[in-house]
Every structure is written in C-alpha cells, then in structure tokens.
Amino acid sequence: MKLNIAVLPGDGIGPEVTDQAVKALKAIAIEFDHSFTFTYAPVGAVAIDETGDPLPEQTLDLCKTTDAILFGAIGDPKYDNNPSATIRPEQGLLKLRKSLQLFANIRPVKAYSQLLEKSPLKEHIIKGTDISIYRELTGGIYFGEKYLSDDKNTASDLCEYSRLEIERISHLAFKAAQSRSFNVTLIDKANVLESSRLWRKVVNDVAKEYQDVTLEFLFVDNAAMQMILNPKQFDVILTENMFGDIISDEASVIGGSIGLLASASVGDKYAMFEPIHGSAFDIMGEGIANPIGAFWSASMMLEHLGETGSAQRLMEAIKKLTLDGIYLPQDLGGNSTTEHVTNAI
Ligand code: IPM
Ligand code: MG
C-alpha cells in the first residue's frame, strides 16, 4: 500500500516520540512491502517561533492532501503562565481539529495485566478495564464565543452544541459499542447545563437505531469518581469536548502512565493520530520520553487506513516487548531509554 503521511512533531518531546513512530512505520513498510512517504511540517510553539503562526497555511494545506496525519505534542511552558499572550501554541491544534472537522476523538484505555502494579490504583480495581472514550472534539466550550470585558475583569466562554454535532459522534460511539461490549455511557451535566440536556435528548434518539446497545447516563462529577472506584463498568464512554479532555487524563492513570495512551481524531474526510500526553518540557531532550503512545497511535493510523495486518503487527510488538515489561521506559518504572524501546520494537 502507498501512503502519504503528514508528520507534525510539534513541541517538547513531540519530535522525539514522532521520530520513533516514523522508524516503526518504516520497519512495518519493509516487512509488509508498503511505500510510505513522510512529509514534515511545523505546528505549535515551534511554528510560532518560525513563522509567527501556530498553524501555518502550508501545514494545513499539507494535512489536506495526505492520507493521514501523525501528530506529536503541543505546548510550551513559556506561554502557560502568560494569560495575556494572544498567540498560543494550542491554537494550532484547535484550528487543525476545526479546519479538518476532526469531530471524534477516540481514546482507548486498557489495564494490561503486565502493568497492573504500575498504576497507583489498586490492582483488583483496575484489572480487566477496557474502555473506549469517544470525546467530541470540534464543539462545546472550546470553540464557543469568548468574551473579555473592556476593564478585563469579567470573562466568559460559551458552551454551544447543535443536534448534528451530537448525532455524528453518537453514531460512531454506538457502532463502536457493537464491536465491543454493547454498552454506551453518556457523561454529561444534564442536572445543570442546557447543552447537556440536549446531549441526553439527541443521544436517546440515536440510541433507538441501536437496540442491541445499552445506553446509560452519568453526571460528570459522579463519572470522575466512578472512573477510579470501578472503571470496569465502562465500555464506550461518549462525552462532550471538555468533559472528555478531563475524564481521559484521569482514565490514563489506569494504564500505568499517560505515556502509553494513543488517540485517533477522525472526521468524514481526514484523520489524525496522536499520543494523548503533552509536550513534557521537563524531560525534553533527555532521551527518556515514552514512545509507546506514539507507536500505538501509528498502529491506530494503520488500522484506520484498512491495514489491519500491519496495525496488529505493530501492536503485537508493543505488547510483547514493552507491555510485557521487558523494555519499560522510566515513566513506567523501568530504565529503558526512548531509543532502547524503539530498537526493541
Ligand atoms: C488534549 C490536550 C489539548 C486539549 C490541549 C493541548 C489544547 O489537552 O488533546 O487532550 O485540551 O484538547
Ligand atoms: Mg487533554
């Protein structure tokens, strides 16, 4: 298979981990006789430094002409504590998601039996956890109207959703449940928010088309508690943008480290794959970043493009060598460097 892949390494450890994913993909290409072309483009703080724009026009254009996008990480501490910065690295990622209409962010969370002891949570609580989070990614409070009063003492962010935005991701979540354990949990705050009440109504309507799937509802505060009390109860989680952002970081603790987790952001036309961890400036350049989230993302990319055999091959390597604890990076309590793990894969 011939594939054109856009590589957007981004900031911090982003370039370190995407480089490893590209190496793994090159190895897969040899084994399966694929022809992969990788084209790099800047996004985030590095793009601001180079061009003044966190998502340069050329980067966006490239993404629109490739088969898939591999993304590293975004963010730079020099912007984090500067609330008055008007240009921010994160705007690059948000604009990319919005421009490419990547409305569904899928984040798998699994407790691998070999890594149970790595999680700060008790083994008997997390054992058997297997969750797929469907986070809405192009709407809600992230993209609603923003306001700052002239005297700069009052601010607001609007959380807005339309039926269509809720329907399209709901269909994906219900279809996913049909190939899993036939359960969808909608996480919302319908006891307080009008937008959440619309989510409940629309998701209930969509559910009628999937009679074999059970639909449950949880308020987000309770869901945050349930995630650490009894994560096994979840199969597919469906939720809006901000709740999904928060719940998925919380859920990542179950796997042992956020460094493991991957995500796919998909729309009707384009798809992007990225580890869910951030730019981790504290370990940048030390060669110890965990590349597994990036490998897993690459595997999700192959799966999405219909290359199931290649995707499984990469996943097998990840499971055999790293999840089995032979090559564990430091965030999982091991002492393998990024390079050790990559070479092993
Ligand atoms: C994520 C990240 C982003 C988000 C940031 C970097 C804008 O936390 O992908 O979860 O909030 O969506
Ligand atoms: Mg996040």
Side-chain angles (χ1 to χ4, degrees), residues 87 90 127 164 194 207 213-214 241 262 285 326 339:
I87 299 178
E90 289 79 5
K127 198 172 176 188
L164 183 123
E194 200 58 50
V213 178
T214 318
N241 203 344
I326 305 174
E339 205 183 342

Side-chain angles (χ1 to χ4, degrees), residues 74 90 93-94 97 107 135 137 142 245 249 274 276:
I74 211 155
E90 289 79 5
L93 179 58
L94 298 180
R97 289 172 178 171
R107 299 185 164 184
R135 166 191 176 193
L137 203 60
Y142 273 57
D245 180 46
D249 265 33
E274 61 177 305
I276 89 159

Side-chain angles (χ1 to χ4, degrees), residues 76-88:
D76 185 322
K78 71 182 176 206
Y79 297 93
D80 291 350
N81 294 319
N82 178 9
S84 51
T86 48
I87 299 178
R88 315 185 65 84

Side-chain angles (χ1 to χ4, degrees), residues 3 13 62 67 80 85 106 110 155 158 181 188 194 220 243 250 327 330:
L3 286 181
I13 61 166
L62 170 75
D67 297 300
D80 291 350
I106 303 149
K110 240 178 171 159
L158 182 69
S181 301
D188 64 21
E194 200 58 50
V220 63
F243 297 157
E250 188 192 11
Y327 289 91
Q330 291 185 11

